[in-house]
Amino acid sequence: MEDSTANENNKEMQDSDDEEKADVEMECEKDSDSNDSDSENEESERQVAELQKQISKNPYLYDVHIDLIKLLKQLGELEQLRDARQRMSELFPLAEGLWLEWLKDEISLAGDDQKERKKVEDLFERAVKDYLSVKIWLEYVQFSIGGMASQDGVIKIREVFEKALSSAGLHVAQGSSLWEAYREFENAILMGVMPAPGQVATKQQEDDFDVQHKRIMALFKRQLSVPLNDMEESFTEYKEWLQGEIDSQIKQQFHKALEYYKKIQPYEKDLLTKEDKKEVYTSYIDYEVSHGTAARVICLYERSVQENCLEPEVWINYTQYLDSKLRDETLSIPVFERSVRNCPWCSQLWSDYLLTLERAKKSHQTVKGTVDRALSCGFAEGGSYLQIWTTYCDNLRRWIRWDEDHEEQLTLFRANIEKAVEHLYTIPDGDPSGSLRQFWASIEAKYCKNVTKGRELWNEIMTEGHGNEAAMWLNFYHFERCYGDNKHCRKLLQRALNSVSDWPESIVDAFINFEREEGDLEQYESALSKCNAQMDRIKERRKQAAEKEEGEKSKFQKGGKKQQKTFDKGHHTDKGHHSDKGHHSDKGHHSDKKQQFNKKDKNTKFDKRQNESSEKVFFKPYQKKEMKHEDTSERISLDEDQKASNGLKRKAEDDQSSESVFKVPPPPGFKGQKSGPPPGYKGKKSEPPPGFKGHKAGVSEPPPEFKGKSSEGEEPPAKVQKTDGDDRLHEGQGDMGPDKSSCTAFVSNLAYDVDEDHIKNTFSQFGEIKEIRLIKNFKGRSKGYAYIEFPDELCVIEALKFDRTPLDGRPVYVSRCEDKSVRKPQFKFATELEKNKLFIKGLPFTCTKEALSNIFSQHGKLKDVRLVTYRSGAPKGLAYVEYENENEATQAVMKTDGLAIGEHTISVAISCPPDRRPQKDQFVPSLGSGKKETEVRGKARTQVSLLPRALKTGGAASSNEKPSSKSSSATANEKPGSKEQSGKSNDDFRKMLLGNK
């Protein structure tokens, strides 16, 4: 008995231990689950913070908004979830699924609280405005039925149903569900009106029953007159409900709707089966426009934009239909607002929106706010900005009441159109034809009687590369004809006659017709003479251009064969004869011919605008032997001191031809100007100048200006006086060998008080300095540049990093020490569109790099900040700010453009520098014809040639300057029998250079 008791006690103790062990294990599992949950929550919170950070940098990241909403819903963060949804709905129209999810969450939280229910109703009103959605309308009416017990609850429910039917009741595929829901609701009310079984209905009940019965009949009648899916089933249901004979009028309406439904049924089937629904909707809408009603067309457009919400063409067609057919601003303005939210990149939608606002007589502030929103969208093309500005300026012009006090309105117009011109100037292809300034000029001349301002605007346009375009000159002439006087018209037509190259006949016709209408006999004959002379020159140019093209084709073919033949012959000679003379002769001949052929291939590729005088060298057989001498003699170039000492006369630039296409032929013997170095010229200092062909029999010594080594003559005394080196190398580099130049850095723009010790202290950080050569003038003062020799090229590469770094207040330019004739121009910074870099202008001169960094670092992580300065180190008020990614730069533009810094308002735009290359066919007015035009970056071009025609350098002919009109007439008046018709040899040019008769 005692053993049994003991066993029972032991068993109880063991069971107790097992229970305690199980409890401990359960507690451990709970702790483990809790730890896992905590770690998951921490990870989710970290993801939420990261997503919110991305949105703060760029709020237009649609997918990031979606991810954030999903994550917050999983975490159950109600307030943050509401804020995220609200923020997204303000930026984007929400799809049907997002709205339904949001609405269901809010409905579950609202309960019976009337304030909360009112918030949900407001949310429903916003939801149904984004897109047409039958599902959202069904949720809306279901939510409204839940508040039926409230005051006027039934009336509010019916109002919601009516709005639902007016919006989606014509939806062929889904509209019947709304009609059925409405009828079920009214049937439920009808059942409540009927008396209980076994009771007699009162008079009030009978009246209520009749009213409700008629209401349901009216619903059936309305539904059966609309072409909808399952309309035959609805008709059968109506029969059963009525339990009597159907009215003939209802039958007629039903059969008419059924017939129409059968006609549109193929379109509905195509929408269900075909992938390209946009094309189906287009055909469907065209049919409805022709056969249907406006309400059906609007419903179909709503269905189309729901499925093609990112297609601007669909929105444009929709809005144009509303504006042209209905002309009801209460309908079109909400649609425009939705369209620009869906397709903000479409300038056509914004422009039409502005016109609709003006038609609706909205306030100026409303229109201005819409313009600001449009300009902040970041269009991809400059023409889009031009369209917005043009529409807005038109609106401002129409806003001016010229017959009343309009000073304030006119000031506003001028300020905005000037702002538009400045803004478009910073955008590539913003306003290439100056259309806004043309419009501005017309307004100034017509309404303000300020023709002078209009001429200034037109002259600005013409000096921006339009000088050779006949259409632009004719527009300018039309302006003068309308608002100017005969004096200015005559001067303008004369300028146009000497400038136009693309369609000169139009200018000739305008000039002659003007003098017929306004001029006297002398003026008419003068214009006729000028026009005939110009047309004669043009015809000659066209004839020569055609001959040149044909000649070039045959010359290329023959030249290719001769080149190959010469190469084979020279190769054989080089192999067979090892003498220095034979080798030199063969090499020189082959190199000369090859370079001459390559030069023609590069510079004379069927270019009709090439100077025809140079072509004669290639095509006249009797000139082939002299071709080498003539080509090189043309390229002799002297500076002004040498010209004066040799007694050479300076000639004006009148000897150049007037236009790039139609140039007056020069007199016989003039060989023209050619671009590029002469055949055989390598650009090295030790080689002779153009015209020197080596040591050959029958060729005299080189001229005194020859700077290479010569065994046949000593260097002239004048050469000894030049201590600063050859002008084709960096000054002071004349004694530097090729080995030293690779280890030498050229430093320029130094302050004049910087000495060798200062330079050594600054550049010793890049490596050991072997020598510093600071270039000084004859007084011993620094010229502002120096040569720093390092032991190896790696040190030079490191020193190049110091380029444009300020030294004693001036940006120092550091470059490799290279031959200028070989070195290609380089630019340190990019010259194309950089989407992550901003260009800021209008900065105060006191603004520092640190202050600018503090302002722009608030919008993203900065990569670099650069203040633009003059060579003296003085600020220009410009800067470049580079971000690490494009999104941050875009956000910064939107938030900082127009920011006020002190008393200055800065302008911020994406960096897109203008093309640094010179433009072809750029017009330069002739001497005395008006404002001088400038080259790229504002460098003024001289209008006077400082060289005689026979001594033009080769580079002149290839420049982008257009000859003046005077050169045309001067050349045309030369007689063909002049002495310069015969070619000149090297001896002739040598005598000219030395001043010998």
Side-chain angles (χ1 to χ4, degrees):
M1 190 69 180
E2 292 178 358
D3 293 338
S4 176
T5 304
N7 290 333
E8 289 178 358
N9 292 334
N10 291 333
K11 187 176 181 180
E12 290 177 358
M13 292 177 62
Q14 186 176 357
D15 292 341
S16 177
D17 292 339
D18 292 341
E19 291 177 358
E20 291 179 1
K21 186 176 181 180
D23 293 339
V24 171
E25 290 177 354
M26 290 178 64
E27 291 294 332
C28 292
E29 290 178 358
K30 290 181 180 180
D31 293 340
S32 177
D33 293 340
S34 177
N35 292 333
D36 292 341
S37 178
D38 292 341
S39 62
E40 290 178 359
N41 290 336
E42 291 178 358
E43 178 65 20
S44 299
E45 291 176 357
R46 186 191 64 78
Q47 293 179 6
V48 168
E50 181 64 26
L51 293 173
Q52 289 176 341
K53 183 178 179 181
Q54 293 182 33
I55 292 174
S56 63
K57 291 182 179 179
N58 185 3
Y60 295 97
L61 299 174
Y62 187 88
D63 293 336
V64 177
H65 283 280
I66 298 295
D67 295 339
L68 178 60
I69 290 172
K70 289 180 179 179
L71 194 57
L72 290 173
K73 188 172 183 180
Q74 292 176 1
L75 293 175
E77 297 291 342
L78 179 60
E79 293 302 325
Q80 294 186 37
L81 179 61
R82 282 176 172 170
D83 293 340
R85 284 170 167 167
Q86 178 66 25
R87 185 164 56 247
M88 184 179 181
S89 66
E90 292 174 355
L91 296 172
F92 305 100
L94 301 187
E96 180 183 87
L98 293 173
W99 274 118
L100 289 174
E101 188 179 78
W102 188 1
L103 291 166
K104 288 178 181 179
D105 290 343
E106 294 295 340
I107 290 172
S108 62
L109 297 173
D112 295 331
D113 189 347
Q114 293 301 318
K115 291 183 178 180
E116 293 297 325
R117 289 185 63 86
K118 183 63 171 63
K119 292 180 180 178
V120 176
E121 288 178 5
D122 295 339
L123 201 60
F124 268 115
E125 290 294 333
R126 291 174 53 194
V128 295
K129 290 179 181 178
D130 274 354
Y131 300 111
L132 176 62
S133 173
V134 175
K135 292 182 180 180
I136 293 179
W137 277 114
L138 289 173
E139 286 291 334
Y140 192 4
V141 296
Q142 187 67 32
F143 174 76
S144 301
I145 291 173
M148 184 175 178
S150 63
Q151 185 179 2
D152 299 331
V154 176
I155 296 176
K156 292 180 180 178
I157 295 171
R158 285 173 178 159
E159 289 177 353
V160 174
F161 267 117
E162 289 298 330
K163 287 192 292 185
L165 291 179
S166 63
S167 176
L170 300 179
H171 196 301
V172 178
Q174 303 176 14
S176 58
S177 58
L178 286 172
W179 291 100
E180 291 173 1
Y182 198 179
R183 284 190 285 104
E184 288 177 2
F185 168 72
E186 295 296 349
N187 274 321
I189 296 178
L190 181 64
M191 296 300 295
V193 172
M194 295 177 64
Q199 292 184 0
V200 179
T202 63
K203 179 64 175 176
Q204 181 65 34
Q205 288 177 336
E206 289 179 355
D207 293 342
D208 293 342
F209 179 85
D210 291 339
V211 171
Q212 191 64 21
H213 188 270
K214 290 180 181 179
R215 185 177 283 119
I216 297 174
M217 282 189 65
L219 276 177
F220 267 117
K221 184 177 179 180
R222 289 169 58 190
Q223 180 182 358
L224 294 175
S225 64
V226 178
L228 299 171
N229 284 350
D230 304 327
M231 61 183 307
E232 293 177 334
E233 287 79 359
S234 300
F235 186 73
T236 304
E237 184 180 352
Y238 176 56
K239 275 184 178 182
E240 296 175 354
W241 179 85
L242 186 61
Q243 296 179 356
E245 186 66 24
I246 300 178
D247 185 63
S248 60
Q249 185 179 1
I250 296 178
K251 284 184 179 182
Q252 184 179 359
Q253 292 178 351
F254 168 74
H255 290 300
K256 184 178 179 181
L258 183 62
E259 183 180 355
Y260 193 87
Y261 171 74
K262 291 178 180 179
K263 292 179 180 179
I264 63 175
Q265 193 174 15
Y267 296 109
E268 293 292 338
K269 290 182 179 179
D270 289 343
L271 290 174
L272 296 175
T273 57
K274 291 188 177 181
E275 294 183 359
D276 188 4
K277 296 185 179 182
K278 179 182 175 183
E279 184 177 353
V280 178
Y281 272 118
T282 302
S283 303
Y284 197 176
I285 290 171
D286 291 341
Y287 181 82
E288 288 287 4
V289 170
S290 302
H291 301 84
T293 61
R296 294 189 58 80
V297 175
I298 292 175
C299 182
L300 196 53
Y301 266 122
E302 288 292 343
R303 293 174 60 185
S304 178
V305 297
Q306 180 191 12
E307 299 190 28
N308 303 281
C309 58
L310 300 181
E311 293 288 343
E313 183 182 357
V314 178
W315 287 104
I316 290 173
N317 293 336
Y318 187 13
T319 54
Q320 286 180 351
Y321 173 80
L322 294 175
D323 280 342
S324 61
K325 299 296 182 180
L326 303 183
R327 300 189 69 85
D328 186 354
E329 288 77 19
T330 58
L331 292 175
S332 56
I333 288 179
V335 175
F336 270 115
E337 185 62 32
R338 292 161 55 203
S339 69
V340 295
R341 290 185 67 199
N342 283 272
C343 304
W345 60 86
C346 180
S347 59
Q348 182 64 47
L349 286 171
W350 286 105
S351 179
D352 293 344
Y353 190 9
L354 292 173
L355 293 175
T356 302
L357 291 174
E358 182 181 2
R359 192 182 305 116
K361 294 181 171 44
K362 296 296 182 181
S363 66
H364 174 71
Q365 294 300 325
T366 302
V367 176
K368 180 65 168 60
T370 307
V371 171
D372 293 339
R373 287 171 55 198
L375 295 175
S376 64
C377 289
F379 298 115
E381 299 179 354
S384 299
Y385 290 99
L386 175 61
Q387 185 175 12
I388 301 300
W389 278 117
T390 301
T391 306
Y392 182 46
C393 291
D394 291 347
N395 172 269
L396 292 176
R397 198 274 305 166
R398 289 189 288 266
W399 191 50
I400 301 175
R401 297 291 178 262
W402 299 103
D403 54 347
E404 302 174 1
D405 184 15
H406 56 267
E407 188 63 30
E408 181 181 354
Q409 301 164 350
L410 181 60
T411 302
L412 181 63
F413 169 79
R414 285 171 172 167
N416 279 278
I417 199 169
E418 185 176 2
K419 181 180 178 181
V421 171
E422 293 177 356
H423 180 234
L424 293 172
Y425 181 77
T426 63
I427 298 173
D429 297 328
D431 189 5
S433 62
S435 59
L436 262 186
R437 279 174 288 177
Q438 294 183 35
F439 173 69
W440 187 4
S442 299
I443 298 301
E444 291 287 350
K446 181 177 181 180
Y447 295 103
C448 305
K449 310 304 178 184
N450 190 357
V451 183
T452 303
K453 178 63 176 179
R455 292 193 184 108
E456 291 178 1
L457 294 169
W458 263 107
N459 285 322
E460 287 179 6
I461 297 171
M462 300 307 297
T463 55
E464 291 177 356
H466 302 291
N468 64 335
E469 300 175 12
M472 296 297 290
W473 281 108
L474 290 175
N475 289 337
F476 194 0
Y477 167 68
H478 178 71
F479 168 82
E480 279 291 352
R481 200 80 170 102
C482 292
Y483 312 113
D485 50 42
N486 291 344
K487 175 184 175 182
H488 285 88
C489 286
R490 188 170 287 110
K491 289 177 63 177
L492 187 148
L493 288 170
Q494 290 175 354
R495 290 171 57 193
L497 183 66
N498 295 326
S499 305
V500 169
S501 60
D502 58 348
W503 190 21
E505 290 85 354
S506 61
I507 302 299
V508 170
D509 291 342
F511 199 177
I512 293 176
N513 289 331
F514 170 76
E515 293 297 353
R516 287 175 58 197
E517 296 174 7
E518 304 291 343
D520 54 26
L521 179 61
E522 182 180 356
Q523 291 169 335
Y524 172 74
E525 290 179 342
S526 175
L528 201 62
S529 174
K530 292 177 183 178
C531 291
N532 288 334
Q534 180 69 1
M535 290 307 299
D536 289 341
R537 290 192 290 266
I538 289 170
K539 291 176 182 177
E540 183 66 23
R541 291 298 177 190
R542 290 173 176 173
K543 180 180 177 182
Q544 292 181 3
E547 292 176 354
K548 174 188 172 180
E549 185 173 353
E550 293 298 327
E552 282 296 328
K553 290 180 180 178
S554 59
K555 198 67 180 178
F556 280 132
Q557 296 173 356
K558 294 179 181 179
K561 294 180 180 178
K562 286 183 178 181
Q563 186 186 19
Q564 183 64 32
K565 201 171 183 181
T566 306
F567 175 76
D568 295 339
K569 182 178 178 182
H571 185 66
H572 175 73
T573 304
D574 189 30
K575 276 189 171 183
H577 304 281
H578 299 283
S579 63
D580 293 340
K581 183 177 179 181
H583 179 71
H584 174 73
S585 177
D586 177 76
K587 182 178 179 181
H589 175 74
H590 171 62
S591 175
D592 223 348
K593 288 289 185 183
K594 183 177 180 180
Q595 292 190 25
Q596 200 172 61
F597 180 79
N598 290 340
K599 175 185 176 297
K600 291 190 294 180
D601 184 46
K602 292 178 181 178
N603 298 333
T604 62
K605 288 186 178 179
F606 308 105
D607 190 357
K608 295 183 180 180
R609 295 170 294 184
Q610 190 86 2
N611 195 329
E612 284 80 8
S613 61
S614 62
E615 298 158 14
K616 297 178 182 178
V617 178
F618 295 103
F619 300 126
K620 291 189 177 180
Y622 61 83
Q623 289 185 354
K624 287 185 178 178
K625 294 182 180 180
E626 299 177 359
M627 179 170 58
K628 193 179 297 184
H629 300 292
E630 292 169 355
D631 284 351
T632 55
S633 298
E634 292 168 357
R635 294 173 175 80
I636 297 177
S637 177
L638 299 175
D639 58 24
E640 295 307 313
D641 294 337
Q642 292 168 340
K643 289 180 185 178
S645 63
N646 292 330
L648 297 177
K649 296 180 180 180
R650 184 181 69 180
K651 292 187 178 182
E653 202 178 79
D654 300 339
D655 298 325
Q656 298 181 5
S657 55
S658 64
E659 286 304 322
S660 60
V661 176
F662 305 114
K663 301 179 182 178
V664 178
F670 174 55
K671 303 305 175 186
Q673 305 166 357
K674 300 182 180 180
S675 60
Y681 179 63
K682 303 295 184 181
K684 298 181 180 179
K685 180 185 174 184
S686 61
E687 292 188 0
F692 182 62
K693 298 297 177 181
H695 308 298
K696 296 183 181 180
V699 179
S700 58
E701 295 180 2
E705 302 308 320
F706 172 52
K707 299 182 181 181
K709 296 181 179 181
S710 175
S711 60
E712 298 182 11
E714 296 295 332
E715 202 172 24
K719 177 70 171 67
V720 180
Q721 297 177 4
K722 293 184 77 172
T723 60
D724 294 334
D726 192 351
D727 60 352
R728 288 181 298 168
L729 301 173
H730 286 304
E731 211 170 351
Q733 193 191 345
D735 58 345
M736 187 177 297
D739 295 337
K740 288 186 177 182
S741 63
S742 62
C743 303
T744 304
F746 176 66
V747 184
S748 60
N749 202 40
L750 293 166
Y752 296 113
D753 56 352
V754 173
D755 55 11
E756 288 88 343
D757 293 336
H758 196 354
I759 297 174
K760 184 174 182 180
N761 294 334
T762 303
F763 285 88
S764 59
Q765 57 180 314
F766 306 114
E768 179 186 354
I769 297 177
K770 296 179 64 176
E771 184 182 2
I772 298 177
R773 296 186 293 280
L774 181 63
I775 307 304
K776 301 179 180 179
N777 58 13
F778 69 97
K779 293 183 179 181
R781 297 185 60 186
S782 169
K783 286 189 173 184
Y785 53 94
Y787 297 88
I788 305 176
E789 185 179 345
F790 292 96
D792 53 45
E793 191 174 356
L794 294 177
C795 299
V796 176
I797 296 175
E798 291 296 322
L800 292 177
K801 298 178 181 178
F802 197 73
D803 184 33
R804 300 178 186 270
T805 303
L807 180 64
D808 288 356
R810 293 173 67 93
V812 176
Y813 305 139
V814 184
S815 62
R816 293 179 180 273
C817 188
E818 296 175 341
D819 190 339
K820 285 185 178 180
S821 62
V822 178
R823 176 167 58 102
K824 295 181 179 180
Q826 298 178 349
F827 189 62
K828 180 178 179 182
F829 305 102
T831 58
E832 298 178 350
L833 175 65
E834 296 179 278
K835 295 184 179 180
N836 65 323
K837 184 182 290 187
L838 306 183
F839 172 65
I840 302 104
K841 65 179 182 179
L843 290 168
F845 294 146
T846 57
C847 183
T848 63
K849 182 177 180 180
E850 291 75 15
L852 205 61
S853 300
N854 292 335
I855 294 173
F856 284 89
S857 61
Q858 302 174 11
H859 310 294
K861 189 172 182 181
L862 299 182
K863 187 176 181 181
D864 184 32
V865 176
R866 176 167 64 91
L867 292 174
V868 183
T869 64
Y870 292 98
R871 294 178 67 90
S872 63
K876 290 186 176 182
L878 308 175
Y880 289 91
V881 175
E882 186 174 2
Y883 285 90
E884 290 192 349
N885 61 67
E886 300 175 5
N887 294 332
E888 295 175 348
T890 303
Q891 182 66 17
V893 170
M894 298 174 60
K895 294 186 177 180
T896 58
D897 186 27
L899 181 69
I901 301 180
E903 297 180 354
H904 293 252
T905 301
I906 65 173
S907 175
V908 184
I910 297 296
S911 174
C912 185
D915 194 355
R916 296 175 63 88
R917 296 174 296 179
Q919 300 178 355
K920 295 182 179 180
D921 301 334
Q922 198 165 6
F923 168 72
V924 177
S926 59
L927 198 62
S929 64
K931 185 178 178 181
K932 182 170 67 176
E933 195 178 347
T934 58
E935 287 183 346
V936 179
R937 302 292 182 186
K939 180 181 178 183
R941 294 182 288 192
T942 179
Q943 297 180 351
V944 181
S945 173
L946 302 181
L947 290 178
R949 271 202 318 274
L951 299 180
K952 289 290 183 181
T953 60
S958 62
S959 68
N960 291 328
E961 296 184 17
K962 290 190 175 180
S964 65
S965 60
K966 292 186 179 181
S967 63
S968 301
S969 58
T971 311
N973 294 330
E974 298 273 356
K975 294 184 178 181
S978 63
K979 293 182 179 180
E980 291 187 7
Q981 182 173 2
S982 61
K984 292 182 175 57
S985 65
N986 282 351
D987 290 332
D988 296 332
F989 280 98
R990 187 173 294 107
K991 290 177 182 179
M992 292 174 64
L993 294 173
L994 297 176
N996 297 333
K997 300 292 185 181

